[in-house]
Amino acid sequence: MSTAKKEYKRVTVKSLIEMKQQGEKISMLTAYDYSMAKIVDSAGVDVILVGDSASNVMAGHETTLPITLDQMIYHATSVIRAVKRALVVVDIPFGSYQSDPKEALRSAIRIMKESGAHAVKLEGGIEIKESVKRILNAGIPVMGHLGLTPQAIYKFGTYAVRAKEKDEAEKLIEDAKLLERLGCFSIVLEKIPANLTKKVSESISIPTIGIGGGKHADGQVLVIHDLLGMTHEFNPRFLRRYMNLYEDMGNAIAQYVGDVKSKNFPNDEEQY
């Protein structure tokens, strides 16, 4: 039997489920602007998440809570203009879906209509069941998010690993099964024990995407600024830095400043 990997000219929610069935791991990264999204998409990433982590890495906030729906739509619109292959998923920000399923639907519709995104992502399980149902009933694909849910950081009080205790682990498994039954196409599992990720991944037919969830997830996601080393103070165990752009960019900019001050830039060949 052939084991050749299927090539996807355009990744869809159906593509991700096929990848899980074929045992192919799913790659996912964040992007928040046109230039970065173009690079990420061209490199072959399967899913681009326009994450509410833009609140942290783009705007400098301590948490994801301050970012607004309008700001998320702005970032998503910029990303969509650049993407040719990847599936683009957009976080619905805090306060735009939790309290009222009708508001959740309005928020999702705005994201899809105004940005051209392909899907939305919501944090939580049974607590947001009605919101998820409303959005799915409108034909909008939904990615779930369980485990450490940053929008609920003040409820948890910490960014520590979640679901280490039996009761919370069992609830997470049940929430994952519920999200699958409702019709979600994938679930992000953030900062939970690796053996729990394995149990969840084996108990549902839709893909799991891990971030600090270990190797048994069906895919992995990282924040692009962390992967590239543009951030330097955030050092969780699960983060692998593939570059050190914080240092490299700082050195390049310092060299530019020196060249300007020393009148070395521009030189004769760099002027008209």
Side-chain angles (χ1 to χ4, degrees):
M1 185 173 71
S2 174
T3 58
K5 188 176 79 170
K6 182 176 179 179
E7 294 294 331
Y8 294 97
K9 291 184 178 180
R10 169 69 80 174
V11 178
T12 66
V13 296
K14 182 173 178 285
S15 308
L16 302 187
I17 294 171
E18 288 178 352
M19 288 179 190
K20 173 165 181 158
Q21 292 170 344
Q22 295 162 5
E24 179 183 347
K25 296 291 187 177
I26 297 163
S27 60
M28 179 167 158
L29 284 173
T30 64
Y32 318 98
D33 64 82
Y34 175 87
S35 298
M36 189 71 81
K38 197 168 186 65
I39 296 169
V40 172
D41 187 56
S42 298
V45 167
D46 299 313
V47 184
I48 292 178
L49 173 65
V50 184
D52 56 6
S53 48
S55 179
N56 309 106
V57 298
M58 301 297 285
H61 293 295
E62 185 178 356
T63 71
T64 61
L65 274 62
I67 199 163
T68 67
L69 182 60
D70 284 340
Q71 289 168 333
M72 288 301 302
I73 290 170
Y74 165 79
H75 287 295
T77 303
S78 302
V79 167
I80 281 289
R81 292 192 191 106
V83 171
K84 304 297 183 186
R85 177 183 178 273
L87 180 78
V88 178
V89 181
V90 181
D91 272 332
I92 304 183
F94 175 75
S96 301
Y97 66 92
Q98 289 93 340
S99 63
D100 180 1
K102 292 182 180 178
E103 182 182 17
L105 178 57
R106 286 193 294 269
S107 299
I109 287 173
R110 280 200 62 200
I111 288 172
M112 300 295 284
K113 283 179 68 70
E114 296 178 33
S115 75
H118 308 136
V120 297
K121 181 167 77 66
L122 291 75
E123 295 182 4
I126 193 169
E127 306 85 358
I128 61 163
K129 174 183 175 181
E130 295 306 318
S131 292
V132 171
K133 284 173 65 176
R134 284 261 184 170
I135 295 169
L136 286 166
N137 285 342
I140 298 172
V142 173
M143 175 180 280
H145 185 145
L146 299 172
L148 176 63
T149 48
Q151 291 180 9
I153 185 56
Y154 290 126
K155 173 185 174 182
F156 296 143
T158 174
Y159 286 103
V161 175
R162 303 301 308 172
K164 291 193 292 185
E165 303 299 324
K166 181 180 178 182
D167 288 350
E168 189 178 352
E170 288 178 350
K171 181 184 183 303
L172 190 145
I173 293 171
E174 289 307 309
D175 280 340
K177 291 178 179 178
L178 171 64
L179 292 175
E180 179 185 29
R181 287 197 303 271
L182 291 175
C184 292
F185 69 88
S186 180
I187 303 173
V188 169
L189 299 175
E190 180 165 1
K191 217 166 182 185
I192 66 172
N195 63 343
L196 179 56
T197 296
K198 186 173 188 292
K199 288 180 182 177
V200 174
S201 301
E202 291 175 350
S203 67
I204 59 177
S205 61
I206 59 174
T208 58
I209 309 293
I211 177 166
K215 65 183 180 181
H216 300 295
D218 300 304
Q220 299 293 330
V221 60
L222 286 175
V223 171
I224 188 68
H225 291 67
D226 298 337
L227 177 149
L228 295 176
M230 296 174 74
T231 55
H232 68 293
E233 296 173 343
F234 180 62
N235 293 295
R237 181 190 299 185
F238 66 79
L239 173 60
R240 182 182 296 183
R241 297 191 192 280
Y242 286 80
M243 297 183 73
N244 185 7
L245 282 188
Y246 184 88
E247 183 176 318
D248 293 344
M249 291 171 71
N251 290 338
I253 293 166
Q255 184 176 347
Y256 163 76
V257 171
D259 287 348
V260 171
K261 297 291 186 182
S262 66
K263 303 178 182 179
N264 183 46
F265 177 79
N267 60 29
D268 291 342
E269 285 74 35
E270 294 165 331
Q271 61 187 7
Y272 297 99

